[in-house]
Amino acid sequence: MKKFSIVTLTFLAALVSIGTHAEESVWDWLLSFKRFKEVAPVINSTYKEECGSCHLAYPPGLLPSASWQKLLNKKALADHFGDSAELDEETRKELELYALDNAAEKSYYKRPRKIMASLGTDEAPLRITEIPYIREKHEDIPSEKIKGNKKVGSLSQCDKCHRQAQNASFDDDTVLIP
Ligand code: HEC
Ligand code: HEC
């Protein structure tokens, strides 16, 4: 009887410790991994608005946090790929925090994990389109269908071809080059 209760107690203690210490997102992922095939959709409305006016509001899971750090500091935003994407400091901090919290290495979705696996440990590209995994997926598309195509313009314009990009889905079933 004594032995039994020790075993039971140990078991209960283990359950409690899993429940409190394990990262919730691991459990989310295990329980519903089908939903986690792609990348987490953008849920921050300020990010959607401020970062979605010139191009798709890229889901933060498409780049590691070291890349977001380089992109979203004050100085970098003043010269953002030749444009100004300056923000007031409060908004900038909010968007930076949102991107860092949801960066590729913190995600259990499939694309971010593939993105991290394709990058070297110190690699933090400024562009999603420079990530080897993303580059390889597009290397067979001739440039006249991208740069030479007025309806696309550049590979950075994900949503011109990926019809579900606004829902953070880049599956090849929903792609159509205009
Ligand atoms: C004023 C327009 C403008 C705004 C606002 C803007 N961007 Fe950009 N962004 C650009 C341009 C231009 C490029 C380069 C696109 C190209 O090469 O075709 C770019 C490229 C990028 C890229 C690299 C895309 C690639 O090629 O993989 C990232 C990442 C990015 N922007 C993130 C952001 C984030 C996050 C915000 C919000 C804080 C933001 N941008 C707001 C104009 C803008
Ligand atoms: C010119 C149109 C075009 C643009 C712009 C484009 N893609 Fe693609 N993308 C494609 C095509 C076509 C495929 C399918 C390639 C294949 O079937 O091998 C693809 C494949 C992919 C895949 C792999 C899909 C799968 O199911 O394996 C990912 C991820 C992806 N693209 C992400 C992006 C992201 C992120 C951007 C923007 C930074 C982007 N793409 C911009 C055309 C485009």
Side-chain angles (χ1 to χ4, degrees):
M1 185 62 196
K2 207 172 175 195
K3 226 179 188 174
F4 171 77
S5 43
I6 287 172
V7 170
T8 313
L9 277 177
T10 315
F11 178 72
L12 285 176
L15 268 188
V16 168
S17 97
I18 288 171
T20 50
H21 295 298
E23 279 192 60
E24 209 177 334
S25 34
V26 179
W27 289 108
D28 286 348
W29 178 62
L30 285 173
L31 289 172
S32 54
F33 61 89
K34 269 184 97 167
R35 274 181 50 225
F36 287 74
K37 259 176 35 181
E38 289 286 340
V39 54
V42 174
I43 50 163
N44 181 305
S45 55
T46 315
Y47 184 94
K48 240 186 228 173
E49 203 172 296
E50 298 288 351
C51 305
S53 53
C54 302
H55 47 62
L56 175 75
Y58 303 115
L62 295 176
L63 281 173
S65 53
S67 298
W68 292 121
Q69 247 154 5
K70 287 195 218 167
L71 280 162
L72 298 181
N73 62 72
K74 201 169 179 233
K75 199 165 159 238
L77 284 174
D79 181 6
H80 176 78
F81 303 93
D83 264 345
S84 164
E86 274 176 301
L87 298 163
D88 65 77
E89 192 53 14
E90 199 186 323
T91 310
R92 189 198 66 77
K93 278 196 184 137
E94 179 193 336
L95 299 191
E96 183 179 45
L97 196 67
Y98 171 66
L100 293 178
D101 278 350
N102 293 282
E105 79 272 19
K106 293 180 187 148
S107 176
Y108 291 97
Y109 282 67
K110 183 177 106 180
R111 306 268 184 229
R113 285 182 291 128
K114 292 202 166 170
I115 283 168
M116 288 317 292
S118 87
L119 286 171
T121 38
D122 294 330
E123 274 183 291
L126 289 176
R127 285 176 178 272
I128 299 153
T129 49
E130 279 169 7
I131 297 166
Y133 168 69
I134 298 291
R135 242 185 343 187
E136 282 155 23
K137 289 284 182 184
H138 302 96
E139 67 189 358
D140 293 336
I141 308 172
S143 90
E144 56 267 28
K145 288 195 168 177
I146 306 173
K147 281 209 165 69
N149 181 347
K150 278 206 202 97
K151 290 184 174 148
V152 179
S154 105
L155 192 59
S156 311
Q157 300 294 335
C158 323
D159 52 337
K160 296 285 194 290
C161 306
H162 291 278
R163 304 301 159 110
Q164 288 296 322
Q166 297 288 356
N167 301 324
S169 176
F170 297 92
D171 200 277
D172 50 16
D173 290 346
T174 53
V175 71
L176 184 70
I177 305 176

